[in-house]
Amino acid sequence: MLSQRPLVVRIDRAALTHNLGVARRATLAAHPQARVLAVIKANAYGHGILRAAEALRNADGFAVLSLDEALALRHAGYSHPIVLLEGFFSGDELEAMAHAHLRPVIHREDQITLLARAALPHRLDVWLKIDTGMHRLGIPASRARAALAALQACASVASVTLMTHFAGADEPAIGVAAQQQVFSECTQGLALPVSLANSAALLRYPAVVGDWVRPGIMLYGASPFAGQTGSDLGLAAAMTLESRLIAVRRVARGEGLGYGHAFMAPQDMNIGIVACGYADGYPRHAPTGTPILVEGRETRTLGRVSMDMLCVDLTPCPNAHVGSPVTLWGGALPAERVAAAAGTIAYELFTALSARVPVEET
Ligand SMILES: *Cc1c(COP(=O)(O)O)cnc(C)c1O
């Protein structure tokens, strides 16, 4: 007998495919030759890497983090270009990367030294990451030309694609102009393919798409912008986290609820206990008032989220009972709203979802 705990995450594969279409159309409108590299790192933002790859197989390539993820895609039969966003962590990985025709991002000069020394079964297509102002990964713009020359001199390098990543494509106060300026100055005159845009840049600054766009969050149906949901952008939410009430209680005015009595009932009220807690990936820091649906009606969480349960206000749903359906996020309740209430972003909700939550695909 399988567990009957009612918590389940539903992944809508048609939504993933639809969102890729949105990304594709935005890309084509900006640059008819540009290709779409579907970012499916972090287990496809919690949606399941192989499930997502299948739904997104019309992408021109995939981007992942680790060799393991890339090899899983190759084993499943995907022959797409696969970019490794952090390249190789150790020179020991290079041979396997060459064998599998993977495309590592080169972001440090010592990686070029390792490449120069490597004797590989095939030459590699590599991506050179230039730091144009995010100051996370990348070769400083002032040294990018020298790094490129060193890469092009490596016998093990077949081609180079130039990339950078924006720190504030989703924040109008920062934008992309300053970084774009640095990028175009240091790559001026080079006839090499370039890749600049994440979801936010693709949607807000289509002029910067370059030759490869790298949409991530939008493929899963969530918005990269604060104060806007995926559906505002024509996207369909691919993930719905659903559960049920496992208890319904009446608490009296002045009684405290859950750990720390973080919520005190201001009057007699009906409350429900939902089978979902922080061990499932629901954010523990979601405060009283975080939106949640019971029987499709919006209400709010109450008190502290426990490991396996959380508490909801049943005042707006007087007919709710043990077994009533609950939507934690997805469907009529955008994950972006839950994330905002909990002081985080949909990216974190999706990727933090625990492996113990059973998946149902539609
Ligand atoms: C994760 C990532 C992306 C995708 O970003 P979204 O905001 O999810 O679209 C693109 N490029 C790089 C380098 C990344 O690490």
Side-chain angles (χ1 to χ4, degrees):
M1 183 74 184
L2 293 173
S3 168
Q4 298 291 302
R5 187 170 185 245
L7 182 66
V8 57
V9 61
R10 284 186 213 291
I11 304 295
D12 180 348
R13 288 177 293 182
L16 295 170
T17 306
H18 166 83
N19 297 331
L20 176 63
V22 175
R24 171 78 71 193
R25 284 190 290 282
T27 302
L28 289 180
H31 180 353
Q33 267 88 51
R35 287 178 286 177
V36 177
L37 190 74
V39 179
I40 55 173
K41 64 192 178 188
N43 198 27
Y45 292 44
H47 293 65
I49 186 166
L50 294 179
R51 183 179 301 118
E54 224 256 78
L56 300 172
R57 63 189 177 280
N58 286 331
D60 303 297
F62 295 121
V64 296
L65 202 66
S66 70
L67 181 58
D68 292 359
E69 292 169 314
L71 294 180
L73 291 168
R74 287 287 183 253
H75 282 298
Y78 294 98
S79 57
H80 298 61
I82 299 178
V83 174
L84 292 158
L85 290 170
E86 294 181 4
F88 52 96
F89 299 91
S90 142
D92 298 345
E93 295 176 308
L94 276 171
E95 190 166 338
M97 286 182 187
H99 256 299
H101 298 275
L102 307 178
R103 305 182 182 202
V105 167
I106 305 301
H107 60 86
R108 287 194 328 252
E109 274 122 340
D110 65 285
Q111 293 177 312
I112 304 176
T113 311
L114 286 171
L115 260 175
R117 290 197 199 124
L120 299 177
H122 309 279
R123 295 200 303 155
L124 284 169
D125 294 309
V126 302
W127 286 37
L128 176 62
K129 185 163 193 173
I130 304 172
D131 175 17
T132 56
M134 182 154 177
H135 301 131
R136 197 178 56 177
L137 289 188
I139 310 270
S142 58
R143 301 207 299 271
R145 289 284 188 147
L148 174 63
L151 264 182
Q152 289 175 323
C154 288
S156 51
V157 169
S159 76
V160 182
T161 297
L162 302 169
M163 76 177 285
T164 195
H165 193 52
F166 294 123
D170 56 327
E171 292 186 36
I174 302 177
V176 301
Q179 283 189 253
Q180 202 208 343
Q181 175 75 17
V182 171
F183 187 82
S184 53
E185 274 168 18
C186 85
T187 60
Q188 197 166 24
L190 296 173
L192 294 176
V194 302
S195 174
L196 300 96
N198 57 5
S199 299
L202 170 60
L203 295 169
R204 194 166 273 169
Y205 306 99
V208 303
V209 294
D211 301 285
W212 283 98
V213 299
R214 310 188 303 268
I217 193 71
M218 69 180 293
L219 300 177
Y220 308 100
S223 163
F225 307 116
Q228 229 178 358
T229 64
S231 67
D232 297 336
L233 301 165
L235 302 168
M239 179 189 288
T240 309
L241 186 61
E242 292 178 354
S243 191
R244 292 184 184 275
L245 297 181
I246 57 167
V248 170
R249 321 283 310 272
R250 183 138 183 102
V251 291
R253 183 164 80 99
E255 287 183 319
L257 225 59
Y259 284 119
H261 283 177
F263 179 79
M264 303 292 290
Q267 71 266 321
D268 295 359
M269 59 195 291
N270 292 334
I271 60 128
I273 310 299
V274 181
C276 182
Y278 62 79
D280 299 301
Y282 194 90
R284 182 178 174 278
H285 40 273
T288 290
T290 300
I292 187 166
L293 307 183
V294 175
E295 295 192 321
R297 182 162 301 183
E298 184 163 330
T299 178
R300 58 179 183 145
T301 65
L302 298 176
R304 260 182 223 159
V305 174
S306 301
M307 182 183 289
D308 309 309
M309 288 173 264
L310 56 81
C311 199
V312 293
D313 185 356
L314 295 182
T315 310
C317 350
N319 300 320
H321 51 84
V322 169
S324 286
V326 174
T327 301
L328 287 306
W329 64 71
L333 177 59
E336 295 94 314
R337 284 190 55 211
V338 177
T344 184
I345 52 180
Y347 296 70
E348 189 183 14
L349 297 188
F350 295 162
T351 57
L353 195 70
S354 160
R356 84 176 188 186
V357 180
V359 180
E360 280 181 17
E361 320 183 320
T362 53

